[in-house]
């Protein structure tokens, strides 16, 4: 009897900065991808870069777009334009003042529109399987916040 070892893929980032502004390199030193984070003035920033919370919501929409492509291929359907809007409800009291509670988003809502040739039943499978397989969606759901999503199918553009 053979045992299959679980394979993992390491994702590495390195960040450094002063104050609340940070430069992040993806993949470690000398990486090809670099981005920065800042915050709004009430939290001590200049709002010169997106906040880490904005990146979380962007990662959620981006990860769904990647995952829907993989799922569509498995289901044998075509995908055209994918659009997603994400809204996170955030109470800053824990972060800003040290209040008791959870520093996470209270809720995240995602609205997705997908151009596809999938029929209604297959589109529902596309949605549920994308949400099940998307690591960032699962990170949000398993964190315990209120997660809701609305998915709409649109015809493929010619």
């Amino acid at each position: 009897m053979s045992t299959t070892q679980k394979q993992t893929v390491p994702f590495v980032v390195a960040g450094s900065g002063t104050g609340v502004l940070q430069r992040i390199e993806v993949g470690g030193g000398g990486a090809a991808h670099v981005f920065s984070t800042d915050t709004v003035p009430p939290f001590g920033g200049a709002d010169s870069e997106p906040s880490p919370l904005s990146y979380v919501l962007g990662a959620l929409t981006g990860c769904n777009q990647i995952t829907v492509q993989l799922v569509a291929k498995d289901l044998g359907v075509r995908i055209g334009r994918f659009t997603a809007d994400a809204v996170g409800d955030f109470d800053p009291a824990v972060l800003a003042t040290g209040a008791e509670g959870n520093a996470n988003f209270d809720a995240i809502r995602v609205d997705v529109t997908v151009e596809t040739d999938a029929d209604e039943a297959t589109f529902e499978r596309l949605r549920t399987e994308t949400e099940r397989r998307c690591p960032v969606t699962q990170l949000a759901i398993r964190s315990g916040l209120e997660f809701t999503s609305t998915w709409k199918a649109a015809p493929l553009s010619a």
Side-chain angles (χ1 to χ4, degrees), residues 25-38:
E25 294 181 359
V26 177
H33 302 292
V34 176
F35 64 95
S36 297
T37 62
D38 193 6

Side-chain angles (χ1 to χ4, degrees), residues 6-140:
K6 182 172 151 180
Q7 293 184 355
T8 60
V9 177
F11 283 78
V12 178
V13 300
S16 64
T18 57
V20 297
L21 185 63
Q22 186 176 78
R23 174 186 160 99
I24 296 105
E25 294 181 359
V26 177
H33 302 292
V34 176
F35 64 95
S36 297
T37 62
D38 193 6
T39 190
V40 293
F43 295 148
D47 201 16
S48 64
E49 300 289 343
S51 75
L53 294 176
S54 295
Y55 277 115
V56 167
L57 295 175
L60 175 63
T61 63
C63 192
N64 271 274
Q65 185 167 346
I66 292 166
T67 307
V68 80
Q69 299 297 324
L70 298 170
V71 174
K73 182 178 177 186
D74 290 348
L75 295 176
V77 297
R78 294 184 307 148
I79 299 291
R81 185 166 176 79
F82 176 97
T83 60
D85 297 313
V87 176
D89 296 332
F90 180 72
D91 177 353
V94 175
L95 172 66
T97 68
E100 292 299 316
N102 185 347
N104 195 4
F105 288 106
D106 291 327
I108 292 178
R109 293 176 305 285
V110 182
D111 291 312
V112 175
T113 301
V114 182
E115 291 182 354
T116 183
D117 61 356
D119 62 34
E120 192 174 321
T122 306
F123 183 75
E124 179 59 14
R125 173 83 178 166
L126 180 74
R127 179 194 69 78
T128 59
E129 205 41 25
T130 297
E131 290 185 346
R132 184 185 76 80
R133 290 169 56 176
C134 176
V136 182
T137 296
Q138 286 301 308
L139 187 63

